Amino acid sequence: MSAPAAAILGCAGPHLTEGERRFFRDADPWGFILFARNCESAGQTAALVADLRAAVGRDAPVLIDQEGGRVARLSSDAARAWAPPLEAVARAGDRAAEMLRLRYRIIAHELAALGIDVNCAPLADTATPATHPVLRNRCYGAAPGAVAARARAVAGGLLAGGVLPVLKHIPGHGRATADSHRALPRVEAPLADLRLADFAPFAALADLPLGMTAHVVFAALDDRPATISPAVIRLIREELGFGGLLMTDDISMQALSGGLGARTAAAIAAGCDVTLHCNGDADEMAAVVAAAGSLTPAAEARAAVALARRGAAEPVDIAALQAKHDALLIGAHDG
């Protein structure tokens, strides 16, 4: 059997069209990603997840950005609403890691109920006063050690619930002062400073199964964005020690230039394992799949290791977890 395409793709709406079914059957992407446009209700979302897997005839991973806070894709009948992470950790104080572990164990329970088995969290980006607002309140703190501990707790909560975490945005998006959805951020900090702050949490979490790149230029390393920079990908692998499956951030974001095929080819050539394409546009997906090719043997091996970590959720009393989570916030706030 040939390896899947080195791509993670979205679909256009809440239900697969016949054209999408045929395309996914033939393209055979490694996985899929859902957005709010795909998630109208719990029952509909669960049916869509099943249909996506049926289209490729295997238990393909299905991803979502359900960070808790501003970035949340599921409908209100499928998931709780949460305060932004940076606000919540400020309230929880020295209990922030435990609060986040509980939060993401609950989120994992909600995702698993729909058949979604990968969540694009934790963020290990270190916040600064200048971090762009599109990212800042999604972060877990401004001290690298605390960020690493809290991100570890997020990953632990997800894994305990049978959901794989995606470490993002490697090797660090916190110094970016531009929104990479719309423009290319450029970081001019010296490499020594980056190692001490931005890169350190990612090195501490290098054992996680899946990771996502940052569309950010680190001038100390390369004039190309990290996603398409062999130098940065080499640092991620060799210096930071990340051994998991490495996906791009959304390849259609405006931080990158050129056609979708050229972007994809550059990312794969730089050392990314899989290209992530999110908007469900049929022509763009065709270009991405054609340029991505199949998973390389090394990427296929990393994918197998990652997917082997999908497991059954540990039994849990969700109402009790919610009460403990809320008590951590209230106690810290009142104290």
Side-chain angles (χ1 to χ4, degrees):
M1 180 180 295
S2 61
I8 299 166
L9 304 177
C11 58
H15 308 284
L16 284 187
T17 67
E18 286 307 311
E20 287 173 330
R21 289 179 197 274
R22 290 192 298 271
F23 174 75
F24 291 145
R25 179 197 64 206
D26 296 339
D28 192 25
W30 180 71
F32 299 97
I33 187 164
L34 301 180
F35 279 77
R37 67 178 184 272
N38 308 124
C39 302
E40 292 183 339
S41 69
Q44 165 271 320
T45 302
L48 177 59
V49 169
D51 286 347
L52 288 166
R53 291 190 170 120
V56 293
R58 56 185 166 80
D59 190 18
V62 177
L63 293 70
I64 197 166
D65 288 291
Q66 193 70 11
E67 292 180 3
R70 188 162 44 81
V71 176
R73 314 302 190 192
L74 292 177
S75 54
S76 60
D77 68 327
R80 292 162 176 78
W82 304 92
L86 194 62
E87 295 176 17
V89 299
R91 291 180 62 193
D94 60 5
R95 295 176 285 186
E98 176 62 8
M99 179 274 297
L100 287 173
R101 184 189 69 80
L102 294 168
R103 172 185 288 206
Y104 281 86
R105 178 62 185 85
I106 295 167
I107 288 174
H109 178 79
E110 295 168 340
L111 297 179
L114 305 175
I116 299 167
D117 54 5
V118 183
N119 194 14
C120 296
L123 280 75
D125 304 308
T126 301
T128 77
T131 300
H132 192 278
V134 77
L135 180 72
R136 193 171 193 280
N137 72 352
R138 298 159 56 194
C139 296
Y140 306 151
V147 169
R150 294 164 185 172
R152 174 69 66 185
V154 168
L158 291 171
L159 286 164
V163 173
L164 295 180
V166 178
L167 178 64
K168 65 185 190 185
H169 305 83
I170 305 177
H173 213 299
R175 290 183 196 258
T177 58
D179 177 1
S180 57
H181 296 87
R182 302 180 180 279
L184 176 60
R186 184 178 178 89
V187 170
E188 301 286 352
L191 189 56
D193 293 352
L194 293 169
R195 284 176 169 141
L196 284 173
D198 307 67
F199 298 170
F202 293 96
L205 295 158
D207 59 303
L208 292 186
L210 301 163
M212 180 186 294
T213 62
H215 294 334
V216 176
V217 168
F218 297 93
L221 292 165
D222 198 345
D223 278 333
R224 289 168 287 186
T227 300
I228 59 170
S229 167
V232 178
I233 303 302
R234 186 163 53 250
L235 176 139
I236 290 167
R237 292 297 192 193
E238 297 177 5
E239 181 175 326
L240 304 187
F242 180 73
L245 187 80
L246 186 63
M247 67 187 73
T248 71
D249 202 345
D250 184 4
I251 205 71
S252 66
M253 288 162 62
Q254 293 177 37
L256 302 180
S257 59
L260 272 292
R263 298 179 190 188
T264 297
I268 298 296
C272 292
D273 293 316
V274 180
T275 300
L276 175 65
H277 182 272
C278 296
N279 65 30
D281 180 275
D283 291 339
E284 289 189 6
M285 289 193 294
V288 166
V289 168
S294 299
L295 290 176
T296 66
E300 197 170 13
R302 286 190 279 264
V305 170
L307 294 184
R309 295 184 67 177
R310 293 187 295 191
E314 300 168 1
V316 71
D317 181 338
I318 293 296
L321 290 190
Q322 182 77 61
K324 288 175 65 177
H325 170 277
D326 295 349
L328 288 174
L329 290 177
I330 295 168
H333 184 64
D334 292 346

